[in-house]
CSV table of all heavy atoms in Angstrom, one decimal:
chain,number,residue,atom,x,y,z
A,267,VAL,N,106.3,105.2,98.9
A,267,VAL,CA,105.4,105.1,100.0
A,267,VAL,C,104.0,105.4,99.6
A,267,VAL,O,103.0,104.7,99.9
A,267,VAL,CB,105.9,105.8,101.3
A,267,VAL,CG1,104.8,105.8,102.4
A,267,VAL,CG2,107.2,105.3,101.8
A,268,THR,N,103.8,106.6,99.0
A,268,THR,CA,102.5,107.1,98.6
A,268,THR,C,101.9,106.1,97.6
A,268,THR,O,100.7,105.8,97.7
A,268,THR,CB,102.6,108.5,97.9
A,268,THR,OG1,103.2,109.3,98.9
A,268,THR,CG2,101.3,109.0,97.5
A,269,ARG,N,102.6,105.6,96.6
A,269,ARG,CA,102.1,104.7,95.6
A,269,ARG,C,101.6,103.4,96.3
A,269,ARG,O,100.5,102.9,96.1
A,269,ARG,CB,103.1,104.4,94.5
A,269,ARG,CG,102.7,103.3,93.5
A,269,ARG,CD,103.7,103.1,92.4
A,269,ARG,NE,105.0,102.7,92.9
A,269,ARG,CZ,105.3,101.5,93.4
A,269,ARG,NH1,104.4,100.5,93.4
A,269,ARG,NH2,106.5,101.2,93.8
A,270,LEU,N,102.5,102.9,97.2
A,270,LEU,CA,102.1,101.6,97.9
A,270,LEU,C,100.9,101.8,98.8
A,270,LEU,O,100.0,101.0,98.8
A,270,LEU,CB,103.3,101.2,98.8
A,270,LEU,CG,104.5,100.7,98.1
A,270,LEU,CD1,105.7,100.5,99.0
A,270,LEU,CD2,104.2,99.4,97.3
A,271,ALA,N,100.8,103.0,99.5
A,271,ALA,CA,99.6,103.2,100.3
A,271,ALA,C,98.4,103.3,99.5
A,271,ALA,O,97.3,102.8,99.9
A,271,ALA,CB,99.8,104.5,101.1
A,272,GLY,N,98.5,103.8,98.3
A,272,GLY,CA,97.3,103.9,97.4
A,272,GLY,C,96.9,102.5,97.0
A,272,GLY,O,95.7,102.1,97.0
A,273,GLU,N,97.9,101.6,96.6
A,273,GLU,CA,97.6,100.3,96.2
A,273,GLU,C,96.9,99.5,97.3
A,273,GLU,O,95.9,98.8,97.1
A,273,GLU,CB,98.8,99.5,95.7
A,273,GLU,CG,99.4,100.0,94.4
A,273,GLU,CD,100.8,99.4,94.1
A,273,GLU,OE1,101.1,98.3,94.7
A,273,GLU,OE2,101.5,100.0,93.3
A,274,ILE,N,97.5,99.6,98.5
A,274,ILE,CA,97.0,98.9,99.7
A,274,ILE,C,95.6,99.4,100.1
A,274,ILE,O,94.7,98.6,100.3
A,274,ILE,CB,98.0,99.0,100.9
A,274,ILE,CG1,99.3,98.3,100.5
A,274,ILE,CG2,97.4,98.6,102.2
A,274,ILE,CD1,100.4,98.7,101.4
A,275,SER,N,95.4,100.7,100.1
A,275,SER,CA,94.1,101.3,100.4
A,275,SER,C,93.0,100.8,99.5
A,275,SER,O,91.9,100.5,99.9
A,275,SER,CB,94.1,102.8,100.4
A,275,SER,OG,95.1,103.3,101.2
A,276,GLU,N,93.3,100.7,98.2
A,276,GLU,CA,92.4,100.2,97.2
A,276,GLU,C,92.1,98.7,97.4
A,276,GLU,O,90.9,98.3,97.5
A,276,GLU,CB,93.0,100.4,95.8
A,276,GLU,CG,92.2,100.0,94.6
A,276,GLU,CD,90.8,100.7,94.6
A,276,GLU,OE1,90.8,101.9,95.0
A,276,GLU,OE2,89.8,100.1,94.1
A,277,ARG,N,93.1,98.0,97.6
A,277,ARG,CA,92.9,96.5,97.8
A,277,ARG,C,92.1,96.1,99.1
A,277,ARG,O,91.4,95.2,99.1
A,277,ARG,CB,94.3,95.8,97.8
A,277,ARG,CG,94.2,94.3,97.8
A,277,ARG,CD,94.0,93.7,96.4
A,277,ARG,NE,95.1,94.0,95.6
A,277,ARG,CZ,96.1,93.2,95.4
A,277,ARG,NH1,96.2,92.1,96.0
A,277,ARG,NH2,97.1,93.6,94.5
A,278,TYR,N,92.3,96.9,100.1
A,278,TYR,CA,91.7,96.5,101.4
A,278,TYR,C,90.5,97.3,101.7
A,278,TYR,O,89.9,97.2,102.8
A,278,TYR,CB,92.7,96.7,102.6
A,278,TYR,CG,93.8,95.5,102.5
A,278,TYR,CD1,94.9,95.7,101.8
A,278,TYR,CD2,93.6,94.4,103.3
A,278,TYR,CE1,95.9,94.6,101.7
A,278,TYR,CE2,94.5,93.3,103.2
A,278,TYR,CZ,95.6,93.5,102.5
A,278,TYR,OH,96.6,92.5,102.4
A,279,ARG,N,90.0,98.1,100.8
A,279,ARG,CA,88.9,99.1,101.0
A,279,ARG,C,87.6,98.4,101.6
A,279,ARG,O,87.0,98.8,102.5
A,279,ARG,CB,88.6,99.8,99.7
A,279,ARG,CG,87.7,101.0,99.8
A,279,ARG,CD,87.9,101.9,98.6
A,279,ARG,NE,88.0,101.1,97.4
A,279,ARG,CZ,87.1,101.0,96.4
A,279,ARG,NH1,86.0,101.7,96.6
A,279,ARG,NH2,87.2,100.3,95.3
A,280,ASN,N,87.3,97.2,101.0
A,280,ASN,CA,86.1,96.5,101.4
A,280,ASN,C,86.3,95.3,102.2
A,280,ASN,O,85.5,94.4,102.3
A,280,ASN,CB,85.3,96.1,100.1
A,280,ASN,CG,84.9,97.4,99.4
A,280,ASN,OD1,84.4,98.4,100.0
A,280,ASN,ND2,85.0,97.4,98.1
A,281,ARG,N,87.5,95.3,102.9
A,281,ARG,CA,87.8,94.1,103.7
A,281,ARG,C,87.9,94.5,105.2
A,281,ARG,O,88.2,95.6,105.5
A,281,ARG,CB,89.2,93.5,103.3
A,281,ARG,CG,89.2,93.2,101.8
A,281,ARG,CD,89.6,91.9,101.4
A,281,ARG,NE,90.7,91.3,102.0
A,281,ARG,CZ,91.9,91.1,101.4
A,281,ARG,NH1,92.1,91.5,100.1
A,281,ARG,NH2,92.9,90.6,102.0
A,284,LEU,N,91.8,94.6,109.0
A,284,LEU,CA,93.1,94.7,108.5
A,284,LEU,C,94.1,94.9,109.7
A,284,LEU,O,93.9,95.7,110.6
A,284,LEU,CB,93.2,95.9,107.6
A,284,LEU,CG,94.6,96.3,107.1
A,284,LEU,CD1,95.3,95.2,106.4
A,284,LEU,CD2,94.6,97.6,106.2
A,286,LEU,N,98.2,95.4,110.3
A,286,LEU,CA,99.6,95.6,109.7
A,286,LEU,C,100.5,94.9,110.7
A,286,LEU,O,100.5,95.2,111.9
A,286,LEU,CB,99.9,97.0,109.6
A,286,LEU,CG,99.0,97.9,108.8
A,286,LEU,CD1,99.6,99.3,108.7
A,286,LEU,CD2,98.8,97.3,107.4
A,299,ASP,N,105.3,105.9,108.1
A,299,ASP,CA,104.9,106.7,107.0
A,299,ASP,C,103.8,106.1,106.2
A,299,ASP,O,102.8,106.8,105.9
A,299,ASP,CB,106.1,107.0,106.1
A,299,ASP,CG,107.1,108.0,106.6
A,299,ASP,OD1,106.7,108.8,107.5
A,299,ASP,OD2,108.2,108.1,106.1
A,300,LEU,N,103.9,104.8,106.0
A,300,LEU,CA,102.9,104.1,105.2
A,300,LEU,C,101.5,104.2,105.8
A,300,LEU,O,100.5,104.5,105.2
A,300,LEU,CB,103.3,102.7,104.9
A,300,LEU,CG,102.5,101.8,104.0
A,300,LEU,CD1,102.7,102.2,102.6
A,300,LEU,CD2,102.8,100.3,104.2
A,301,MET,N,101.4,103.8,107.1
A,301,MET,CA,100.1,103.7,107.7
A,301,MET,C,99.3,105.0,107.8
A,301,MET,O,98.1,105.0,107.8
A,301,MET,CB,100.2,103.0,109.1
A,301,MET,CG,100.8,103.9,110.2
A,301,MET,SD,100.7,103.1,111.8
A,301,MET,CE,102.1,102.0,111.7
A,302,ARG,N,100.1,106.1,107.8
A,302,ARG,CA,99.4,107.4,107.9
A,302,ARG,C,98.8,107.8,106.6
A,302,ARG,O,98.1,108.8,106.5
A,302,ARG,CB,100.4,108.5,108.4
A,302,ARG,CG,100.6,108.3,109.9
A,302,ARG,CD,101.6,109.3,110.5
A,302,ARG,NE,102.9,109.0,110.0
A,302,ARG,CZ,104.0,109.8,110.3
A,302,ARG,NH1,103.8,110.9,110.9
A,302,ARG,NH2,105.2,109.4,109.9
A,303,GLN,N,99.1,107.0,105.5
A,303,GLN,CA,98.5,107.3,104.2
A,303,GLN,C,97.5,106.2,103.8
A,303,GLN,O,97.1,106.1,102.7
A,303,GLN,CB,99.6,107.4,103.1
A,303,GLN,CG,100.5,108.6,103.3
A,303,GLN,CD,101.4,108.9,102.1
A,303,GLN,OE1,100.8,109.0,101.0
A,303,GLN,NE2,102.7,108.9,102.3
A,304,ILE,N,97.1,105.4,104.8
A,304,ILE,CA,96.1,104.4,104.6
A,304,ILE,C,94.9,104.8,105.4
A,304,ILE,O,94.8,104.5,106.6
A,304,ILE,CB,96.6,103.0,105.0
A,304,ILE,CG1,97.9,102.6,104.2
A,304,ILE,CG2,95.5,101.9,104.7
A,304,ILE,CD1,98.5,101.3,104.6
A,305,PRO,N,93.9,105.4,104.8
A,305,PRO,CA,92.7,105.9,105.5
A,305,PRO,C,91.7,104.8,105.8
A,305,PRO,O,90.5,105.0,105.5
A,305,PRO,CB,92.2,107.0,104.6
A,305,PRO,CG,92.5,106.5,103.2
A,305,PRO,CD,93.8,105.7,103.3
A,306,LEU,N,92.1,103.7,106.4
A,306,LEU,CA,91.2,102.6,106.7
A,306,LEU,C,91.3,102.3,108.1
A,306,LEU,O,92.4,102.5,108.7
A,306,LEU,CB,91.5,101.4,105.8
A,306,LEU,CG,91.5,101.5,104.3
A,306,LEU,CD1,92.1,100.2,103.7
A,306,LEU,CD2,90.1,101.8,103.8
A,307,PRO,N,90.3,101.6,108.7
A,307,PRO,CA,90.4,101.2,110.1
A,307,PRO,C,91.5,100.0,110.1
A,307,PRO,O,91.4,99.1,109.2
A,307,PRO,CB,89.1,100.6,110.5
A,307,PRO,CG,88.2,100.8,109.3
A,307,PRO,CD,88.9,101.3,108.2
A,308,LEU,N,92.4,100.1,110.9
A,308,LEU,CA,93.4,99.0,111.0
A,308,LEU,C,94.1,98.9,112.3
A,308,LEU,O,94.0,99.8,113.1
A,308,LEU,CB,94.5,99.2,109.9
A,308,LEU,CG,95.3,100.5,109.9
A,308,LEU,CD1,96.5,100.5,110.9
A,308,LEU,CD2,95.9,100.8,108.5
A,309,ALA,N,94.6,97.7,112.6
A,309,ALA,CA,95.4,97.5,113.8
A,309,ALA,C,96.9,97.3,113.5
A,309,ALA,O,97.2,97.0,112.3
A,309,ALA,CB,94.9,96.3,114.6
Side-chain angles (χ1 to χ4, degrees):
V267 170
T268 300
R269 176 177 55 77
L270 291 170
E273 290 174 19
I274 292 163
S275 303
E276 180 60 29
R277 186 79 67 91
Y278 286 87
R279 196 158 41 110
N280 297 316
R281 307 232 314 250
L284 172 58
L286 304 183
D299 280 346
L300 185 74
M301 72 174 81
R302 284 178 291 173
Q303 295 193 53
I304 302 176
L306 301 174
L308 57 82

